[in-house]
Amino acid sequence: MVTVGIIGLGLMGGSLGLALKGKYRVVGYDRNEKHVVEALEIGIVDEVVSFEEVQKVDILFLAIPVEGIISAIESFSNLGKETTIIDLGSTKEKIVEKVPAEIRENFIPAHPMAGTEKSGPTASIKELYRDRVVVLCDLEKSGEKQKKDAFEIFNFLEMRIVEMNSKEHDKHTAWISHLPHLISFSLANSVMAQENRESILNLSAGGFRDMSRLAKSSPNMWRDIFYQNRENLLESVELFQKELNHMKILLQNLEMDRVKERMVSANRLHDIL
Amino acid sequence: MVTVGIIGLGLMGGSLGLALKGKYRVVGYDRNEKHVVEALEIGIVDEVVSFEEVQKVDILFLAIPVEGIISAIESFSNLGKETTIIDLGSTKEKIVEKVPAEIRENFIPAHPMAGTEKSGPTASIKELYRDRVVVLCDLEKSGEKQKKDAFEIFNFLEMRIVEMNSKEHDKHTAWISHLPHLISFSLANSVMAQENRESILNLSAGGFRDMSRLAKSSPNMWRDIFYQNRENLLESVELFQKELNHMKILLQNLEMDRVKERMVSANRLHDIL
């Protein structure tokens, strides 16, 4: 049986363990003691092992915050020669830059477009990855055995594989994920800065809940993502700020037909999503 | 059997008809021919009647865009003396101002905090209102019979009644509903302005879908809401812009610990919502 190692047993790693167990032998490592206890209770992994042990597997997943991924790949000392290392980070360019040359062929930069605003092993969902997109980056620099492993395991997870270079990936995810998170955090904070926030939030329905859900996401995880992808994120924030400000000015000038035109334009999302 | 009239047989009026039929006799009016045909096909109302006829009922709902509500209440000529008129508009202050004095006691300003991004009779959902908040405004100016009717019918719909003055209502909904819509429209437009929008949107997962769902809402309906509530909305937009810009500047200055603090602060939503 192929052995899979998972570093990080939170939402992403935990969900992976639940989905792979049975088909693969799954061992896990987490430096957080509480996560270890919960992971064993829930049965996310077959065994919890040390950081040294977890490297000696056929396929090793890195399911930790993106700055932690960089630290981890710089500190491996016990990797198998052929071990396939798959990182699940939400940023790719800075991570790929830091992969030591001697393990570059072992490495598969991956980003599963899946998750929830929750975190920790108890947030794990066996079906989290199913039918979702996984982006694989810069595969021309990965070894044949490693690519084969990656395709097999993501197919087993029933994910839709999209290939893209890491630069492109980071530009895309700034728009599709990182900017929406930044907006949601900001919306939540601006509402909660209101004196009568409790009575405002008492009226919340589906719209506000959807728009503020991401604001419940893990600050540790998102600090790292924002840091690594700050250049693309800042670019997308500025374009968003321009669009919002344009709407504000139209509204100030009572140009309601033009406000309506912008909404008709936004409605085109219907045709795509 | 009590007769309910519904002006406007789209998502809001249609859902109301589906929920009330059986318990009440429901007649409807819509100036849109297509809506009339669809409403009869779906069985939203017992009968479609003229604008004159629909006024001669026990309880009359106005389920049309908020500028249309103002036109309607200024053009009634066939109302019953005791008819309870309940408007379902998303704004309240400007509507209440325009209610003619001679029907002010008949009038119940209401705002059900329910809806979806869809519109038209075919979007109707029988359970749309159940368990949701309905805000009733300025009730001290409504008659006793009319208040009784309103409480009875919203209780029948299993809604949670919250009372508030119309000024307060409009300030609250600017935050909880109107600003989130404006942000969502702007986010959708800024992503769709990207040259590679299709390949960006191909990566969309739950986060982006949630944040952009409201951008699919009806431009006609939202033009009116933004117009009527522009003062409160502009105030909330500016506070949101400040918060977002603050995050941007922290990111530009690489003050990641302070970025994290803002996210920890946003996480407090957990405790309330």
Side-chain angles (χ1 to χ4, degrees):
Chain A
M1 204 181 225
V2 175
T3 300
V4 166
I6 303 175
I7 297 181
L9 302 174
L11 166 67
M12 302 303 286
S15 299
L16 194 63
L18 293 178
L20 297 180
K21 251 181 43 172
K23 168 80 174 176
Y24 298 85
R25 180 175 133 75
V26 179
V27 301
Y29 167 80
D30 200 304
R31 67 177 184 185
N32 179 329
E33 281 292 335
K34 188 161 165 270
H35 281 192
V36 168
V37 172
E38 288 174 355
L40 288 171
E41 268 174 20
I42 301 165
I44 281 172
V45 291
D46 295 304
E47 199 182 333
V48 169
V49 298
S50 69
F51 184 65
E52 297 307 305
E53 279 295 310
V54 82
Q55 302 170 38
K56 283 195 298 192
V57 291
D58 301 300
I59 305 174
L60 177 60
F61 282 96
L62 306 180
I64 49 182
V66 293
E67 287 288 287
I69 290 174
I70 290 178
S71 310
I73 54 185
E74 289 175 335
S75 64
F76 288 141
S77 56
N78 200 26
L79 281 173
K81 196 171 176 313
E82 290 285 286
T83 297
T84 299
I85 309 164
I86 304 178
D87 92 284
L88 301 181
S90 298
T91 54
K92 296 271 73 84
E93 201 179 351
K94 306 278 182 205
I95 290 173
V96 171
E97 276 171 23
K98 299 285 186 166
V99 179
E102 60 273 23
I103 60 168
R104 183 60 189 87
E105 284 197 13
N106 297 70
F107 204 78
I108 302 280
H111 180 197
M113 305 303 295
T116 74
E117 72 280 16
K118 305 208 174 84
S119 51
T122 55
S124 302
I125 301 165
K126 192 178 173 184
E127 306 282 308
L128 185 70
Y129 296 103
R130 197 170 160 188
D131 290 331
R132 310 309 289 267
V133 165
V134 58
V135 186
L136 303 183
C137 294
D138 303 345
L139 286 188
E140 68 284 359
K141 295 192 176 149
S142 302
E144 291 307 318
K145 179 263 181 191
Q146 287 77 16
K147 282 192 273 192
K148 189 164 165 284
D149 278 356
F151 276 85
E152 267 175 22
I153 208 159
F154 287 121
N155 281 328
F156 175 74
L157 290 169
E158 297 179 64
M159 300 192 77
R160 291 193 289 129
I161 296 171
V162 170
E163 293 184 47
M164 200 177 276
N165 72 55
S166 53
K167 230 181 161 65
E168 199 78 3
H169 167 275
D170 283 13
K171 280 185 196 298
H172 280 47
T173 51
W175 281 109
I176 210 72
S177 169
H178 308 171
L179 174 64
H181 275 81
L182 193 67
I183 291 172
S184 188
F185 283 121
S186 302
L187 175 64
N189 276 329
S190 53
V191 174
M192 284 193 295
Q194 301 311 301
E195 214 178 303
N196 45 5
R197 60 176 171 274
E198 306 260 346
S199 103
I200 293 174
L201 291 168
N202 184 35
L203 302 189
S204 75
F208 185 79
R209 281 169 201 268
D210 281 359
M211 295 292 287
S212 65
R213 182 178 63 83
L214 300 181
K216 298 178 178 177
S217 303
S218 158
N220 281 325
M221 175 174 156
W222 283 93
R223 176 191 51 199
D224 284 8
I225 294 170
F226 288 165
Y227 174 69
Q228 285 194 15
N229 204 24
R230 64 191 176 275
E231 284 170 31
N232 292 311
L233 179 56
L234 287 169
E235 203 177 298
S236 69
V237 173
E238 293 199 351
L239 291 169
F240 169 75
Q241 286 180 315
K242 268 190 203 157
E243 175 65 31
L244 182 64
N245 213 52
H246 180 58
M247 289 289 267
K248 184 180 83 172
I249 290 165
L250 292 177
L251 205 54
Q252 281 168 334
N253 297 340
L254 291 182
E255 298 191 65
M256 299 316 294
D257 287 344
R258 294 187 60 199
V259 169
K260 186 183 156 189
E261 274 169 30
R262 301 304 302 142
M263 296 193 275
V264 170
S265 157
N267 274 185
R268 289 177 300 145
L269 251 196
H270 268 305
D271 309 330
I272 314 182
L273 272 194
Chain B
M1 204 182 223
V2 175
T3 300
V4 166
I6 303 175
I7 296 181
L9 301 174
L11 165 68
M12 302 303 286
S15 300
L16 194 63
L18 292 177
L20 296 180
K21 251 181 40 172
K23 168 81 174 176
Y24 298 84
R25 180 175 133 74
V26 180
V27 301
Y29 167 79
D30 199 304
R31 66 178 185 186
N32 180 330
E33 281 293 336
K34 190 163 164 265
H35 280 193
V36 168
V37 172
E38 288 174 356
L40 288 170
E41 269 174 21
I42 301 165
I44 281 171
V45 291
D46 295 304
E47 198 182 335
V48 170
V49 298
S50 68
F51 184 66
E52 296 308 304
E53 280 295 310
V54 81
Q55 301 171 38
K56 283 194 300 192
V57 292
D58 301 299
I59 304 175
L60 177 60
F61 283 96
L62 306 180
I64 49 182
V66 293
E67 286 289 287
I69 290 173
I70 291 177
S71 310
I73 54 185
E74 289 175 337
S75 64
F76 288 141
S77 57
N78 201 26
L79 280 173
K81 198 173 175 320
E82 290 285 288
T83 298
T84 299
I85 310 164
I86 304 178
D87 92 285
L88 302 181
S90 299
T91 54
K92 296 272 71 84
E93 202 178 352
K94 307 278 183 203
I95 290 173
V96 170
E97 276 171 24
K98 299 284 186 164
V99 179
E102 60 273 24
I103 60 168
R104 183 60 189 88
E105 285 198 13
N106 297 71
F107 204 77
I108 303 281
H111 180 197
M113 305 303 295
T116 74
E117 73 280 17
K118 304 206 174 84
S119 52
T122 55
S124 300
I125 301 164
K126 192 179 174 184
E127 306 284 306
L128 185 69
Y129 297 103
R130 196 171 162 190
D131 289 330
R132 310 310 288 268
V133 164
V134 58
V135 186
L136 303 183
C137 294
D138 304 344
L139 286 187
E140 68 284 0
K141 295 191 177 150
S142 303
E144 291 307 317
K145 179 264 181 191
Q146 288 76 16
K147 283 191 272 191
K148 189 164 164 283
D149 277 355
F151 276 85
E152 267 176 21
I153 208 159
F154 289 120
N155 281 329
F156 175 73
L157 290 168
E158 298 178 64
M159 300 192 77
R160 293 193 288 128
I161 296 170
V162 171
E163 292 184 48
M164 200 177 278
N165 72 55
S166 54
K167 231 182 160 67
E168 199 77 4
H169 166 275
D170 283 13
K171 282 186 195 298
H172 280 47
T173 51
W175 281 109
I176 210 71
S177 169
H178 308 170
L179 173 64
H181 276 81
L182 193 68
I183 291 172
S184 188
F185 283 120
S186 302
L187 175 64
N189 276 329
S190 53
V191 174
M192 284 192 297
Q194 302 310 301
E195 217 179 303
N196 46 4
R197 61 175 170 275
E198 305 261 345
S199 103
I200 294 173
L201 291 167
N202 184 35
L203 302 189
S204 75
F208 185 78
R209 280 169 201 269
D210 280 0
M211 295 292 286
S212 64
R213 182 177 65 80
L214 300 181
K216 299 178 177 176
S217 303
S218 159
N220 281 325
M221 176 176 157
W222 283 93
R223 177 192 49 199
D224 284 8
I225 294 170
F226 288 165
Y227 175 69
Q228 285 194 17
N229 204 23
R230 62 191 176 276
E231 284 170 31
N232 292 311
L233 178 56
L234 286 168
E235 202 177 300
S236 69
V237 173
E238 293 201 349
L239 292 167
F240 169 75
Q241 285 180 315
K242 268 191 202 156
E243 175 66 30
L244 181 64
N245 212 53
H246 181 58
M247 288 290 266
K248 184 180 82 171
I249 290 166
L250 292 177
L251 205 54
Q252 281 169 334
N253 297 341
L254 292 181
E255 298 191 63
M256 300 315 295
D257 286 344
R258 294 187 59 200
V259 170
K260 186 181 156 188
E261 274 170 29
R262 300 304 300 142
M263 296 193 275
V264 170
S265 157
N267 275 185
R268 288 177 301 146
L269 252 197
H270 268 302
D271 308 331
I272 312 181
L273 273 194

